[in-house]
Amino acid sequence: MAAIIARQASIAQQIAMVAFVCAACVLGLLRSYQISGAATAVWQVAGSAPQQGQAPAAPPIAAVLGAELRSLSTGRGAAAGPVGSSGEEGKPMLGDPRAEAVARALNHSALAAEAGVTAATELASLTRADGFKQAAPEAGPSLPSLPFPRVALLFLTRGPMPFVRLWDEWMASAGGLVPSYAAAALGCEQEVVQRVRDIGGATTGPRGQPLPLYYRQHLFSVYVHAPAQFKQPYERGSIFYARKIRARLTTRWGTHSLVAAARLLLQEALQDPRNQRFLLLSESDVPLWPPGLLHLQMMAEPRSSVRACAHATQQDVLDSQPQTARLLGIPPAAWRKSSQWISLTREHARMVAADREVEPVFAQKCYIKWDFRHWRPLGPDGRWCVSDEHYVPTLLALRGEEANCTCSQPGGRGSPTYTQWPGGPHPRTFNARELTRDGIRRLRNCHGPSARAALQAYLSLLPRAVDWSQQACKVAAAQLAGAGKRLQGPADSAAAGSNGTLSLPPPLLPQYACYLALRKVDPAAGAALAQSVQQGLLDEG
């Protein structure tokens, strides 16, 4: 019996040794081939690994459900850094290779981008015979949908949402509104007009159940990234209920994980062709305008709100830490720094989500290695590199997209969100007493007469669906034609008619000048602000 036990133990040891060797081989391959190995890992999950020598196609998002990056660990003497760096002292440690593989392969939208599918043709496809079906899979009831362009609100959060009631009150006033510029693009035939009325004005589902607030509006999509460990559902009936994206990861301040999470939000939102503008928000942000006006203004601005332009002053150059660009192997002339809180056109969102060249460099080499006592780089390769401030603007600069960003315009803002920096790494927090009507006017940074005129006029471009008629459709179509708002190509994409042309609403506010949201607000102000929004806080100029 002792001999049998000894023989079994020996066999077990041999099996363990073989498993260890195999694991080491796999780990070595993943470390050596981070990009190709990443793609292969996910295609194997999907059951369709590419052949040798064949360019890999982007995997379906379903292949990465439940994936997350390991919480980023560090060696001594360095702040948290990204996966993919060495484990030497003072540098970030290598993360979980399988999680790294998943993160590298999240390039679902690359399929459409590489195939040359434009926003115009995507939206045009929705206006054909089946154009009133749901545009993309969404959590919640399966409902017919209108092919109207939307602003995707992308919430990058730490989990809890302190302003649920405020956002619900805000979104409630958009219920049943339809953008006339997009509805007219569908055509003014009686059958089309009637379907817009029936679907746009619906308040109950197919079985007569009341529709949740989110499904009674047609101007916005909502996506939430909460840390993977955050399991608590949001309040049933709120616009955030069941809106957490399917693939989520653990995020840490100052690390590349924030860029990875933002790309996950874009990946998910890009699957819906109705989403034409993408606004990145945090859980501590609040809107500065009514929903209808915010939608119209974002659709009317055909440039991304990112500071991707060359630095205007020498101080700006110094603030951007240009020496870090050399450590990353990026041309200093293309090194940029912008706010993390940006808005993107669909074309730029595609570039960010489909990027396979620049993002891996940031994931491996952009981290903080700093002597905090003497406030200087720690060693010859020390750096202060925060991906969420540098990655997107640098990518757009490398792609030659500066002219398509708001910073290229006189007085153009670098971010759609107002943030006040009193000094230090964190912005000022606003309280409820500061967010009065006068306070909101100041924070908007908007020309007073223009703001008042826009607030008085915007609802004329957003009729209620139940009021849509052939006559209203013809008037809207004539206004669009008279304003010369029919455009070709994806650069200024908004709403696509059945012939593939694009149309934009007229800008009601000064373009690229006014802030659209505020960061950040004390969570204790939530109840008071929600009541103020309900009472019309944002409706006055």
Side-chain angles (χ1 to χ4, degrees), residues 22-92:
C22 291
C25 292
V26 172
L27 178 58
L29 286 172
L30 281 170
R31 283 177 171 172
S32 301
Y33 304 100
Q34 290 181 2
I35 305 305
S36 61
T40 303
V42 174
W43 271 285
Q44 287 172 346
V45 173
S48 58
Q51 300 298 320
Q52 185 174 3
Q54 177 183 352
I61 196 72
V64 295
L65 301 188
E68 71 167 272
L69 291 176
R70 173 179 291 178
S71 182
L72 304 177
S73 59
T74 63
R76 289 174 293 174
V83 294
S85 301
S86 72
E88 300 170 14
E89 183 173 339
K91 292 186 178 180

Side-chain angles (χ1 to χ4, degrees), residues 244-266:
K244 289 200 288 279
I245 61 174
R246 294 169 285 186
R248 296 181 286 129
L249 51 84
T250 300
T251 54
R252 292 182 65 182
W253 179 87
T255 72
H256 189 75
S257 61
L258 294 175
V259 165
R263 293 183 80 222
L264 286 173
L265 283 164
L266 289 170

Side-chain angles (χ1 to χ4, degrees), residues 215-236:
Y215 297 95
R216 298 199 305 269
Q217 60 83 35
H218 313 283
L219 305 181
F220 299 94
S221 299
V222 174
Y223 302 87
V224 179
H225 181 283
Q229 65 271 22
F230 182 79
K231 306 297 184 183
Q232 181 180 347
Y234 296 120
E235 182 180 344
R236 181 179 292 272

Side-chain angles (χ1 to χ4, degrees), residues 79-205:
V83 294
S85 301
S86 72
E88 300 170 14
E89 183 173 339
K91 292 186 178 180
M93 305 286 282
L94 182 69
D96 185 337
R98 292 186 61 196
E100 182 174 305
V102 170
R104 293 289 182 276
L106 290 180
N107 287 303
H108 179 77
S109 65
L111 278 175
E114 292 171 0
V117 178
T118 67
T121 56
E122 282 182 336
L123 276 173
S125 69
L126 295 178
T127 65
R128 301 191 182 109
D130 60 347
F132 290 88
K133 294 181 180 178
Q134 188 76 0
E138 290 183 349
S142 177
L143 300 167
S145 178
L146 294 168
F148 293 159
R150 293 188 172 205
V151 173
L153 304 178
L154 312 179
F155 288 88
L156 179 55
T157 78
R158 290 176 289 185
M161 298 291 289
F163 299 122
V164 170
R165 186 185 161 201
L166 183 153
W167 282 103
D168 282 353
E169 293 289 354
W170 181 80
M171 191 74 81
S173 62
L177 301 182
V178 295
S180 61
Y181 69 93
L186 296 178
C188 297
E189 296 83 0
Q190 179 57 39
E191 180 183 0
V192 175
V193 168
Q194 189 59 48
R195 298 197 76 179
V196 170
R197 288 169 56 91
D198 292 344
I199 297 173
T203 58
T204 58

